[in-house]
């Protein structure tokens, strides 16, 4: 399969000399005190009885005090390992830990996400019991840090699952997810060419191959996003990232060739300009609506797709 990390597949398909029930992987890059708060919450998570647990903290090229914070971390009952991956890239950092881990259930947590006390047991249980191959946890943004003009779309764009519809297609959110070792042994690691939606790509891959993905949105972790991400500028950047993933999915995974992309790009730009011209005041954070957000993403999509469609396809079925 295309650009999945094959060496992860080789490493995890070998018999595990040192067996472990649960592995926790966190990749960190320049989070400082916010990451320290995440580790405080993680250390309070209850380690299930009769379960062996290991934790990998991956310093992904940080230039702040992250390395020291990692070395100081103590989680009673858990074997903690600190890795350093100098070249930035979330998938690259996570794959480095995957090559070395021993867990049957491998749990992932973002460095600004604070899990509940039952996170280990509840996220790993469906995998260890054989009921699921991957588990998507719930993520919400605390009301105390949300901007007053926030709508559900803003929160969802920042990895919140709070407003997901029950009929929506199951999808992993990397902020809090669990994947069985057997999945990586069969499919390989994460796609290191992606800078966004690594979790979405892997969700598509494992479901396509017949693995079982279940949602445990009742196991809710708190996502303490930085305040600047709620601004118009922050969400405009998010629109571009989402568009890059959408173009990648269209071309590399689905293998589609939408007609007239240049015309679609021009029409999307015209609709965005018309929408903004109809606003009663100049652009600011408060008047960033759901409609404008999706128009921004559509404009970026066709601009990125025009470039992406020239690339050789990375996934072949």
């Amino acid at each position: 399969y295309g650009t999945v990390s094959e060496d992860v597949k080789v490493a995890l398909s070998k018999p595990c000399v040192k067996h472990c029930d649960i592995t926790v992987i966190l990749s960190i890059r320049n989070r400082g005190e916010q990451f320290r708060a995440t580790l405080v919450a993680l250390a309070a998570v209850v380690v299930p009885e009769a379960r062996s647990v290991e934790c990998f903290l991956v310093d992904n090229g940080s230039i702040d005090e992250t390395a020291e914070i990692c070395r100081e971390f103590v989680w009673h009952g858990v074997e903690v390992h600190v890795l350093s991956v100098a070249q930035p890239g979330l998938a690259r950092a996570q794959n480095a830990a995957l090559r070395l881990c021993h867990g049957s259930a491998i749990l992932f947590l973002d460095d600004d996400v604070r899990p509940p006390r039952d996170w280990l047991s509840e996220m790993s249980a469906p995998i260890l019991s054989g009921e699921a191959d991957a588990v998507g946890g719930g993520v919400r943004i605390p009301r105390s840090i949300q901007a007053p003009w926030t709508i559900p779309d803003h929160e969802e764009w920042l990895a919140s699952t709070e407003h997901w519809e029950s009929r929506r297609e199951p999808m992993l959110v990397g902020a809090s997810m669990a994947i069985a070792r057997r999945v990586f042994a069969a499919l390989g690691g994460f796609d290191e060419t992606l800078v966004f939606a690594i979790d979405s790509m892997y969700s598509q891959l494992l479901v396509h191959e017949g693995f079982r993905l279940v949602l445990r949105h009742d196991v809710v972790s708190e996502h303490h996003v930085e305040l600047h991400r709620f601004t118009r500028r922050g969400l405009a950047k998010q629109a571009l990232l989402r568009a890059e993933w959408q173009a990648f999915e269209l071309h590399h995974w689905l293998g589609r060739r939408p007609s007239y992309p240049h015309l679609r790009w021009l029409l999307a730009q015209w609709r965005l300009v018309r929408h903004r011209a109809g606003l009663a005041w100049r652009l600011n954070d408060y008047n960033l609506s759901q409609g404008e957000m999706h128009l921004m993403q559509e404009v970026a999509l066709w601009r990125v797709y025009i470039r992406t469609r020239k690339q050789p396809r990375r996934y072949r079925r």
Side-chain angles (χ1 to χ4, degrees):
Y1 265 106
T3 54
V4 292
S5 187
E6 286 290 328
D7 55 345
V8 170
K9 178 178 179 178
V10 172
L12 271 69
S13 60
K14 294 178 181 178
C16 204
V17 177
K18 177 186 174 184
H19 174 73
C20 183
D21 294 310
I22 304 169
T23 296
V24 176
I25 296 177
L26 280 85
S27 173
I28 317 98
R29 180 172 169 80
N30 295 329
R31 288 289 187 179
E33 289 304 312
Q34 188 177 60
F35 175 56
R36 196 188 297 274
T38 294
L39 291 184
V40 169
L42 185 62
V45 172
V46 177
V47 177
E49 292 185 13
R51 293 295 189 192
S52 52
V53 182
E54 64 181 5
C55 176
F56 285 83
L57 304 179
V58 189
D59 180 4
N60 193 201
S62 300
I63 57 174
D64 61 0
E65 68 271 37
T66 292
E68 182 181 353
I69 294 172
C70 290
R71 288 193 298 268
E72 293 173 350
F73 178 58
V74 176
W75 189 359
H76 295 292
V78 177
E79 186 176 345
V80 178
H81 307 273
V82 178
L83 302 180
S84 178
V85 177
Q87 188 175 359
L90 177 60
R92 190 173 294 110
Q94 291 175 331
N95 284 339
L98 283 172
R99 296 182 191 102
L100 301 174
C101 73
H102 307 94
S104 298
I106 304 172
L107 279 59
F108 299 85
L109 191 71
D110 275 0
D111 56 8
D112 57 355
V113 174
R114 298 170 196 174
R117 287 177 57 82
D118 61 353
W119 184 70
L120 273 183
S121 57
E122 295 300 318
M123 291 292 290
S124 63
I127 292 174
L128 297 177
S129 66
E131 298 173 13
D133 301 301
V135 179
V139 180
R140 73 175 181 86
I141 300 170
R143 295 284 180 264
S144 59
I145 65 173
Q146 290 182 21
W149 47 272
T150 296
I151 60 174
D153 265 42
H154 296 144
E155 298 169 48
E156 185 175 330
W157 276 29
L158 298 176
S160 171
T161 65
E162 187 173 2
H163 304 286
W164 278 28
E165 299 176 10
S166 58
R167 64 180 181 272
R168 179 175 176 161
E169 180 183 357
M171 187 73 68
L172 293 171
V173 174
S176 175
M177 66 180 183
I179 301 175
R181 183 185 186 88
R182 56 183 172 267
V183 175
F184 292 113
L187 304 181
F190 297 112
D191 188 338
E192 296 183 7
T193 64
L194 283 170
V195 296
F196 182 73
I198 299 162
D199 44 8
S200 299
M201 182 67 252
Y202 213 79
S203 297
Q204 302 237 29
L205 181 58
L206 67 86
V207 169
H208 179 265
E209 285 301 295
F211 288 103
R212 296 159 298 173
L213 192 165
V214 301
L215 299 181
R216 286 297 311 272
H217 285 178
D218 57 313
V219 185
V220 182
S221 298
E222 289 191 343
H223 191 189
H224 288 255
V225 299
E226 296 167 316
L227 294 180
H228 72 83
R229 297 183 66 187
F230 276 113
T231 63
R232 174 177 281 274
R233 178 176 293 183
L235 288 164
K237 181 179 179 181
Q238 202 69 15
L240 176 58
L241 289 172
R242 290 170 65 91
E244 288 178 350
W245 154 244
Q246 195 176 357
F248 181 98
E249 182 186 32
L250 275 173
H251 179 68
H252 292 292
W253 177 249
L254 298 176
R256 295 177 183 168
R257 292 190 65 86
S259 57
Y260 310 112
H262 287 86
L263 179 59
R264 292 172 187 251
W265 180 31
L266 291 172
L267 287 173
Q269 288 186 85
W270 176 75
R271 287 196 294 269
L272 179 59
V273 170
R274 187 179 65 173
H275 172 88
R276 288 175 171 171
L279 296 176
W281 53 87
R282 66 179 184 176
L283 303 183
N284 56 46
D285 295 339
Y286 286 83
N287 63 7
L288 179 58
S289 66
Q290 178 182 8
E292 185 180 353
M293 288 166 61
H294 289 290
L295 284 171
M296 289 161 57
Q297 181 177 341
E298 186 180 359
V299 170
L301 164 65
W302 296 116
R303 185 174 69 247
V304 174
Y305 175 76
I306 290 167
R307 179 180 71 248
T308 303
R309 66 177 180 163
K310 300 175 183 178
Q311 300 172 358
R313 289 205 170 99
R314 296 177 183 170
Y315 288 84
R316 293 183 177 84
R317 301 180 187 175

